[in-house]
Amino acid sequence: MKQLLEVLGFLALVQGVLGLVHEFTHWHVGLLQRVGFLDRHGVYASLALVVLAFALFAAAESRKSH
């Protein structure tokens, strides 16, 4: 379970950072730009993904490894 949380956290972090890169440089990177209902809210969605990533990392750290 700990590894799953870490992988999901890593994916959320990467997509959040790529979303921010897309918003500020207009490079076509990341999957967040392909979600239609997030038009004009990309920065907020990307920041939410970065925060979610850190929450997943914290949850993974609180789990005991076996």
Side-chain angles (χ1 to χ4, degrees):
M1 185 64 149
K2 180 178 179 178
Q3 289 179 340
L4 177 64
L5 289 172
E6 289 173 344
V7 168
L8 290 175
F10 176 74
L11 291 174
L13 182 64
V14 168
Q15 289 303 312
V17 169
L18 288 176
L20 289 172
V21 167
H22 169 72
E23 289 296 321
F24 293 117
T25 64
H26 299 293
W27 289 353
H28 296 292
V29 293
L31 297 175
L32 196 60
Q33 67 175 337
R34 291 180 173 87
V35 181
F37 65 88
L38 291 177
D39 287 344
R40 298 178 305 184
H41 302 292
V43 173
Y44 301 116
S46 297
L47 288 175
L49 275 175
V50 171
V51 170
L52 173 66
F54 285 112
L56 287 169
F57 289 142
E61 283 298 315
S62 70
R63 303 285 297 181
K64 294 179 183 174
S65 62
H66 296 278

